[in-house]
Amino acid sequence: MEILAPQDDLALAAITEAVGAEALITDAAERAYHSQDVFSTGPTVLAVFRPTDKDMLARGIAAATQAGWPSSRGVAA
Amino acid sequence: MSYTSGYLAPEAGALLIDTGSMNSILDINEEDMTVTVESGCTWDKLQRALKPRGLRALAWGTLSGINATVGGGMSQNGVFWGALGGTVVDAALSFEVVLADGTILSTGSNFFRPFGPDITGLFAADCGALGVKATITLKLVREGTAFSYGSFSFPDANAFFSAMSAIAREGLASESFGFDPYLQAQRMKRDSLTKDAKSLVNMMKAQGSVLKALKEGAKVVAAGRSFLDDVPFSLHLICEGRYQSAVDADMKAIEAIAVKHGGKPIENTIPKIMRANPFPPVNSMVGPEGERWVPVHGFLPHSRLVEAWDRIQALFEANKAEMEAQGVAAGAMLAAVNRSTCLIEPVFFWPDALEELHCRSLEPSHLAKLNRFPANATSRAVVDRLRKEIVRIFRDLGATHLQVARTYPLEEASDPRAWTLLRAIKQTVDPQGLMNPGSLGL
Ligand SMILES: Cc1cc2nc3c(=O)[nH]c(=O)nc-3n(C[C@H](O)[C@H](O)[C@H](O)COP(=O)(O)OP(=O)(O)OC[C@H]3O[C@@H](n4cnc5c(N)ncnc54)[C@H](O)[C@@H]3O)c2cc1C
């Protein structure tokens, strides 16, 4: 596990509360793996959200955006 | 399985949503000929569920379908299997999309599209800029029960394109794709023939025809691969239909067109094997020696294919010395997309380090056999530059693209009023710009 910057902690805590810790991956290696596509590597993501159904997906996104996720960051599918 | 930075955030600290655990097939409605899946369902999983029922989606996936999801296909579009029915988003009826505020929007009727302006179409190919697709309803069709396969060799690009276009205009083939001489040679290095024949036999056995399976397998082995030794350009086609006599007649018509344009029939091993195993392991996401691999593509009307091809070849010619010095090579995949459009997809190979994504995606046994190159920013920079120059050539010729994401210039290609409309829609569904910022250039 890795330490997250304080303002990120806030949003992550809100999402965790909404969807449960099991749906979130914050392990450094997994975050790095999920920050690349077949051609490029991008900036490392804060967490990987693995919803198991539509409602959890909606809950997680609502929590992330309502917690004032910094607008320069955002959500990538 | 994409390579246009579609889900790479512009800055560190984003939340990545992995839909891989939302992979259920929710409803196969044989009465109304529709299927509803969760967006993380792969094309391979969907096809395996539909095939025993004699069904498939209207367009039924990309070659990456063992890993690539229906949601990914709907979001950046794609084309391969069932291309006669269109690109993959042409199979879409409706989506449920989670918007930035967490509300769920349904794009419309689950049996007919469009009912009024096409909201499903609006979210199709949005590269995730407008929301996250949660569920997807697709059109079903009966899978064919009769197939005919054909392969042809062409001496040069002119002959190849004129034949591919003429066949496409007639709408004769369910799939129609080809390789330039370089990619052709790469494929031959890559595939093991016995493995191919085995997969064909297994597939046919699974369908219940053991005798036919053994016969076809033997034919593939007997044909070997030497038939491809001196083939410059190759075109491969599949006819899918209800009656053997009908698909054979269509293939005869295809052959007549191919021959008229300078083509020569060769063994039809490639399309036969590919159709038998439509979603193979994605080992081809790296080169046959373990080099890195990346495609770039454009769709063009038949009338502009040769010009595009010549300009791309001229670009390679002008950069020949640098490409050779940096070990950068390029081939091309070519395909017919519909009656008016074909695809030109140059593909680059260069020596460079594999990333974790490649290592996890390749079959372990395949990965173990590959060379491992050190990280090579110089060669990659050459690829990056050439890829961008090809995008410019395509832009000049008015090409269109799948996989827009952060790679193809949609704004520049759009009527300014259309672009303003798109921005207004983005503003409505994602006022704070949180949803995949920068994707589509929004
Ligand atoms: C070996 C190989 C073969 C390939 N063959 C083909 C081919 O035959 N034809 C072809 O067209 N392409 C092909 N591709 C390219 C690629 O695999 C396809 O474009 C595929 O559709 C990507 O799907 P994915 O599920 O991996 O999407 P991803 O790579 O995960 O995402 C692609 C884009 O869609 C968005 N997205 C994904 N899911 C959702 C969702 N639920 N809601 C909203 N947005 C979402 C992402 O943000 C991103 O912008 C191939 C690639 C490889 C490596």
Side-chain angles (χ1 to χ4, degrees):
Chain A
M1 275 302 183
E2 214 199 24
I3 308 245
L4 304 170
Q7 84 268 29
D8 296 332
D9 255 352
L10 217 63
L12 198 57
I15 304 167
T16 310
E17 183 161 326
V19 300
E22 260 158 44
L24 288 164
I25 304 171
T26 49
D27 172 77
E30 289 305 303
R31 293 194 290 112
Y33 164 68
H34 281 94
S35 304
Q36 48 190 217
D37 72 4
V38 175
F39 184 49
S40 307
T41 297
T44 307
V45 298
L46 174 66
V48 179
F49 172 31
R50 280 183 67 94
T52 50
D53 61 30
K54 176 174 72 184
D55 293 329
M56 187 194 280
L57 173 65
R59 275 202 316 278
I61 291 178
T65 52
Q66 277 154 29
W69 200 266
S71 64
S72 58
R73 308 232 162 128
V75 182
Chain B
M1 293 287 104
S2 57
Y3 30 73
T4 55
S5 301
Y7 57 84
L8 300 186
E11 268 185 61
L15 175 72
L16 183 106
I17 300 169
D18 176 355
T19 57
S21 300
M22 288 177 59
N23 60 11
S24 303
I25 297 171
L26 299 170
D27 181 39
I28 301 176
N29 185 334
E30 293 195 50
E31 185 174 10
D32 298 334
M33 293 295 274
T34 66
V35 62
T36 302
V37 298
E38 288 185 312
S39 58
C41 175
T42 64
W43 290 107
D44 181 55
K45 179 172 176 177
L46 178 60
Q47 194 249 356
R48 285 175 195 278
L50 294 174
K51 195 175 181 60
R53 302 175 188 234
L55 298 169
R56 63 168 172 80
L58 175 63
W60 52 285
T62 52
L63 287 173
S64 48
I66 193 165
N67 295 335
T69 63
V70 177
M74 293 304 119
S75 303
Q76 63 166 6
N77 208 359
V79 66
F80 201 87
W81 293 114
L84 187 62
T87 57
V88 294
V89 304
D90 291 317
L93 281 163
S94 64
F95 309 131
E96 285 180 296
V97 184
V98 180
L99 301 181
D101 64 0
T103 54
I104 301 175
L105 172 146
S106 166
T107 62
S109 157
N110 62 4
F111 63 90
F112 183 88
R113 165 187 167 207
F115 174 28
D118 188 5
I119 306 294
T120 301
L122 188 61
F123 284 87
D126 73 341
C127 290
L130 301 182
V132 183
K133 292 173 189 71
T135 71
I136 291 154
T137 301
L138 299 174
K139 299 172 190 170
L140 288 179
V141 299
R142 291 242 175 273
E143 186 175 33
T145 46
F147 295 87
S148 190
Y149 305 89
S151 293
F152 303 91
S153 138
F154 292 89
D156 55 47
N158 270 322
F160 176 90
F161 283 117
S162 59
M164 182 164 70
S165 291
I167 294 164
R169 281 190 286 267
E170 301 308 314
L172 285 162
S174 48
E175 289 86 12
S176 164
F177 54 93
F179 308 108
D180 83 327
Y182 186 82
L183 213 59
Q184 174 81 22
Q186 292 292 76
R187 271 196 79 82
M188 291 301 101
K189 277 201 243 171
R190 211 190 269 283
D191 294 337
S192 113
L193 180 68
T194 7
K195 206 168 142 197
D196 294 352
K198 259 195 210 145
S199 80
L200 181 66
V201 170
N202 286 341
M203 188 59 70
M204 296 189 73
K205 269 190 189 157
Q207 288 163 20
S209 56
V210 178
L211 204 70
K212 202 171 162 203
L214 295 175
K215 227 169 82 188
E216 286 295 337
K219 248 201 255 171
V220 166
V221 173
R225 45 186 53 204
S226 57
F227 67 90
L228 283 163
D229 279 353
D230 299 311
V231 170
F233 285 80
S234 67
L235 177 62
H236 309 277
L237 307 110
I238 302 172
C239 295
E240 175 180 343
R242 291 187 186 83
Y243 304 104
Q244 197 58 47
S245 56
V247 289
D248 287 345
D250 282 347
M251 193 49 79
K252 271 237 152 353
I254 287 174
E255 182 172 335
I257 296 172
V259 168
K260 188 174 142 208
H261 290 276
K264 203 176 73 196
I266 53 176
E267 290 294 337
N268 60 9
T269 303
I270 288 182
K272 217 188 265 175
I273 283 177
M274 287 177 69
R275 187 61 171 75
N277 187 14
F279 303 116
V282 288
N283 295 336
S284 57
M285 71 156 54
V286 301
E289 316 285 351
E291 316 92 309
R292 289 286 297 273
W293 165 98
V294 75
V296 58
H297 75 276
F299 286 168
L300 284 164
H302 302 305
S303 53
R304 279 174 242 162
L305 293 169
V306 173
E307 186 182 353
W309 180 259
D310 289 345
R311 285 181 62 176
I312 292 166
Q313 296 315 302
L315 175 72
F316 292 153
E317 197 49 44
N319 286 276
K320 197 170 168 200
E322 191 175 8
M323 288 172 71
E324 274 172 12
Q326 298 305 328
V328 174
M333 158 128 164
L334 311 155
V337 178
N338 59 35
R339 283 170 175 76
S340 19
T341 311
C342 287
L343 163 78
I344 295 181
E345 182 170 80
V347 180
F348 291 97
F349 300 88
W350 76 101
D352 198 349
L354 299 185
E355 299 285 352
E356 182 66 14
L357 179 117
H358 307 106
C359 298
R360 288 203 203 177
S361 303
L362 302 180
E363 282 180 301
S365 59
H366 185 76
L367 179 64
K369 280 187 289 197
L370 296 176
N371 292 330
R372 299 300 282 268
F373 298 95
N376 181 350
T378 324
S379 296
R380 185 190 162 97
V382 175
V383 172
D384 217 13
R385 177 173 64 75
L386 292 173
R387 201 173 176 233
K388 290 196 174 101
E389 289 188 36
I390 291 174
V391 172
R392 289 307 330 154
I393 293 173
F394 279 133
R395 186 70 267 113
D396 268 3
L397 293 171
T400 59
H401 305 274
L402 314 163
Q403 312 165 355
V404 174
R406 294 179 173 82
T407 299
Y408 297 103
L410 183 62
E411 178 178 4
E412 188 190 332
S414 299
D415 178 314
R417 285 173 214 83
W419 184 252
T420 305
L421 177 63
L422 194 57
R423 291 190 71 95
I425 290 162
K426 169 81 174 171
Q427 175 66 27
T428 303
V429 296
D430 179 19
Q432 293 174 273
L434 298 177
M435 188 62 77
N436 208 342
S439 186
L440 292 187
L442 287 169

